[in-house]
Amino acid sequence: MKEIEGIITDAPKGGAKYGKFQIIEDEGNIRVQTLYTGICGTDRGMVAGHLDFTYNPEGQSFTVLGHEALGRIMDPGSSTAFKKGDLVVPVVRRPGDCINCRIGRPDNCSDGKKHEAGITGKNGFMRKSFVDSEEFLVKVPDSSMLDYAVLTEPMKNVMKAMEVFGTVSRRAIISSDDSTFEGMRCVVIGTGPEAFLYAMSFSDLGFSTIITNRHPIDDNRMKILSYFHITFVDYSKDDSLIGDNINVIVDTSGDPGTIFRFFRRLSYNGIALLFGTNSNAPATGVDGRDIDRMIERNLTLVGTVDAAKIHYVQALEKLSRWGNMPNSPLKNLITGIYKPSDTGIFTERNPNEIKAVIKWA
Ligand code: NAP
């Protein structure tokens, strides 16, 4: 056993406590000092006791929270890939024994026996330091990314979803007739951190991109969107502004009614990427015309979860490029920096929050 100072929950019952606790030692020989951890809906769902699929590591009656992290190498152990002082991001999913896990794709785990740091059966990173193995650490290429590299974990989900988008869009040409995506239309549902990272990525590809919610959004959000040439629409006021002939929908709301509201407007060969989860969302009606339309137009409705190590590398490249653009507002996605003892952040969310983070050092 090893003493740590961090934030724990009892999965799946919930609660959040900050203090010193004895945990089963981590596997690996590289010691990492935690610098920042991000807070996401999964952390809040765990603290509220709403996520039945979560469980504590074997032999422990609690889980150290946290799966979004940025750290600094304190002791590289026997690793030659890292040196003291390097910035690193730890990978969340740890492989089981299935074929996808064995080829480095635990994001596509085929028997559910993978583990996830801070979520299912493995301690997370909301603590002053942790130990890990070389294969589960990704080097941050540029030390100037210190202020925003904690966004790598949410961004890696987007890079995996882009891979899914590339795979499913192979069945028909969905680009413009000059081979780019100029003039193609993407609608992202939701205005949280993941929705922003999706909208920024599709806008980057050349899509004319709309982000939408059922209420207005604050000035900070509007400024970030304007910088990345993304349009916001409050669909509760006038959803005709979104129009028809959408080529790609990304959903981060998990709300079936909203997904189908826009799914019905997909153009031929359109793709809907489902990413958001909300088990409490109400049911919605789907009729024969929806199925006819899906068939006649070759529509694709596809789910995407988590990401592989390659997507962390791609996420860091993308964040580095965005972060180094002149007057980049990327850092403004982080709207609150909290102390580890501020455990109230798990139960109260500031309405203008995009991403809240905890600073550990
Ligand atoms: P988030 O901040 O909670 O974002 C959800 C967004 O959806 C919010 O902006 C919310 O708006 C909006 N929303 C909810 N109902 C809506 C509706 N009916 N119409 C339009 N917008 C609606 O969470 P996040 O961190 O960005 O993550 C997005 C979702 O992805 C979450 O459900 C999360 O659990 C899930 N997730 C999935 C994966 C994966 O691998 N698939 C990984 C991480 C997270 P309000 O806040 O105004 O309600």
Side-chain angles (χ1 to χ4, degrees):
M1 300 295 276
K2 174 95 188 155
E3 186 176 86
I4 59 122
E5 185 172 335
I7 303 173
I8 61 161
T9 189
D10 179 2
K13 286 190 212 146
K17 279 189 215 154
Y18 170 62
K20 291 188 174 165
F21 307 96
Q22 294 288 328
I23 66 162
I24 292 163
E25 292 203 34
D26 300 314
E27 282 177 26
N29 65 358
I30 302 176
R31 181 156 287 281
V32 181
Q33 176 189 33
T34 312
L35 301 177
Y36 292 101
T37 51
I39 298 172
C40 92
T42 303
D43 302 311
R44 288 187 166 120
M46 287 179 77
V47 170
H50 289 164
L51 302 185
D52 289 346
F53 65 89
T54 63
Y55 54 91
N56 296 326
E58 208 177 316
Q60 254 182 233
S61 56
F62 59 84
T63 302
V64 180
L65 272 171
H67 55 282
E68 298 180 3
L70 172 67
R72 183 182 277 132
I73 301 283
M74 295 169 83
D75 178 357
S78 56
S79 166
T80 51
F82 299 106
K83 59 180 190 317
K84 192 173 173 190
D86 282 347
L87 295 181
V88 286
V89 173
V91 170
V92 179
R93 276 207 185 182
R94 305 304 164 106
D97 293 325
C98 80
I99 185 148
N100 283 306
C101 284
R102 282 188 274 126
I103 60 157
R105 294 301 305 252
D107 56 318
N108 294 335
C109 177
S110 34
D111 62 8
K113 291 188 181 150
K114 78 318 174 193
H115 295 296
E116 291 160 304
I119 306 172
T120 50
K122 174 167 174 56
N123 285 311
F125 310 115
M126 286 190 185
R127 45 178 154 151
K128 295 216 153 181
S129 71
F130 59 92
V131 165
D132 220 326
S133 312
E134 189 175 300
E135 67 178 300
F136 299 121
L137 293 171
V138 185
K139 198 180 203 162
V140 176
D142 173 357
S143 59
S144 71
M145 296 175 73
L146 177 66
D147 292 341
Y148 55 84
V150 69
L151 296 171
T152 306
E153 199 281 338
M155 184 66 203
K156 73 33 164 145
N157 296 322
V158 177
M159 302 318 298
K160 149 83 178 267
M162 287 299 186
E163 179 187 284
V164 172
F165 168 68
T167 304
V168 299
S169 62
R170 251 180 238 145
R171 68 177 179 154
I173 295 169
I174 64 151
S175 52
S176 309
D177 54 12
D178 67 355
S179 82
T180 71
F181 291 106
E182 292 300 327
M184 299 288 112
R185 303 185 63 240
C186 173
V187 173
V188 179
I189 305 169
T191 48
E194 296 283 4
F196 266 64
L197 296 170
Y198 272 106
M200 287 154 64
S201 300
F202 275 97
S203 180
D204 234 23
L205 272 183
F207 278 78
S208 166
T209 306
I210 289 176
I211 194 167
T212 189
N213 206 326
R214 62 220 183 288
H215 55 65
I217 55 172
D218 60 282
D219 283 353
N220 179 41
R221 278 182 167 84
M222 287 302 277
K223 280 188 192 142
I224 299 170
L225 294 177
S226 156
Y227 184 92
F228 287 100
H229 311 290
I230 300 160
T231 305
F232 169 71
V233 175
D234 173 354
Y235 71 79
S236 71
K237 283 218 176 92
D238 185 2
D239 81 350
S240 67
L241 291 170
I242 294 180
D244 291 322
N245 292 325
I246 302 168
N247 302 98
V248 178
I249 294 169
V250 179
D251 177 66
T252 72
S253 75
D255 181 56
T258 311
I259 293 167
F260 274 90
R261 177 185 193 127
F262 296 113
F263 188 75
R264 294 189 176 106
R265 302 191 193 178
L266 273 176
S267 186
Y268 290 91
N269 304 316
I271 295 165
L273 291 167
L274 303 192
F275 180 82
T277 51
N278 178 3
S279 326
N280 298 323
T284 194
V286 174
D287 63 23
R289 276 174 306 172
D290 291 318
I291 303 302
D292 292 354
R293 188 181 173 86
M294 189 164 177
I295 294 163
E296 293 300 327
R297 293 194 168 211
N298 278 318
L299 304 184
T300 307
L301 189 62
V302 59
T304 173
V305 68
D306 196 70
K309 191 174 176 185
I310 182 65
H311 303 116
Y312 287 75
V313 175
Q314 293 169 354
L316 280 159
E317 282 168 8
K318 193 78 146 170
L319 291 173
S320 168
R321 193 167 69 69
W322 285 339
N324 284 306
M325 281 159 61
N327 305 316
S328 171
L330 187 62
K331 277 187 254 185
N332 301 346
L333 285 173
I334 296 172
T335 47
I337 301 179
Y338 297 86
K339 298 196 293 285
S341 54
D342 292 335
T343 50
I345 184 68
F346 293 106
T347 46
E348 288 155 40
R349 183 175 179 173
N350 179 326
N352 291 340
E353 174 188 307
I354 306 180
K355 174 60 70 184
V357 302
I358 298 173
K359 190 172 192 303
W360 292 88

